[in-house]
Amino acid sequence: MSEKKQPGVWEGFKAFLMRGNVIDLAVAVVIGAAFTNIVNSVVKGIINPLVGAIGTQNLDSYSSCLKDPCTGTGDTATGIRIMWGSVLGATLSFVITAAVVYFLMVLPMSKFLARQAARQKAKEGTQEIIEVSELEVLKEIRDALLAQRGSGNSQN
């Protein structure tokens, strides 16, 4: 009887790290961190000024007073304020960032991948046609050889 040796912790850890999805995830995190700077630059440098031309760039100061008197700011504020401006600003920032990511990265990449898949499918279709035609030629050769053998046997 042979006993199977259990892999050690180090071997298991190496196997875990060498899985393709772990490496892909690590690459995605690094690329995502670098891509975050690009998206933030586009949002802060282009989109926010365009939105600011219509309204204000800083929505954090907008609030409503829930319980009077609402005076002062920061630690000296009195009353109960609902800071809906910061929530609206964060929501707009999220929507704008998501739109930038979608329209500048996801949509063009999906179109590129669709074209690439169509080319690959067309190439595979051509290969299949070639294989089918080779098969037909081989069948014809076989049939011709069988016919020759059959006609050769009848003459003897």
Side-chain angles (χ1 to χ4, degrees), residues 96-116:
I96 290 168
T97 303
V100 168
V101 168
Y102 180 76
F103 289 112
L104 293 183
M105 292 303 294
V106 173
L107 190 62
M109 184 59 78
S110 64
K111 286 183 180 182
F112 171 75
L113 292 175
R115 279 186 299 211
Q116 199 173 25

Side-chain angles (χ1 to χ4, degrees), residues 41-108:
S41 296
V42 169
V43 170
K44 288 178 184 174
I46 297 172
I47 305 297
N48 282 350
L50 291 175
V51 171
I54 298 169
T56 181
Q57 288 184 346
N58 186 8
L59 297 173
D60 292 339
S61 62
Y62 291 103
S63 64
S64 296
C65 188
L66 190 61
K67 183 176 179 186
D68 286 329
C70 288
T71 59
T73 59
D75 291 336
T76 62
T78 61
I80 299 175
R81 292 183 186 214
I82 296 177
M83 305 299 289
W84 59 269
S86 61
V87 174
L88 180 61
T91 304
L92 283 175
S93 179
F94 171 77
V95 169
I96 290 168
T97 303
V100 168
V101 168
Y102 180 76
F103 289 112
L104 293 183
M105 292 303 294
V106 173
L107 190 62

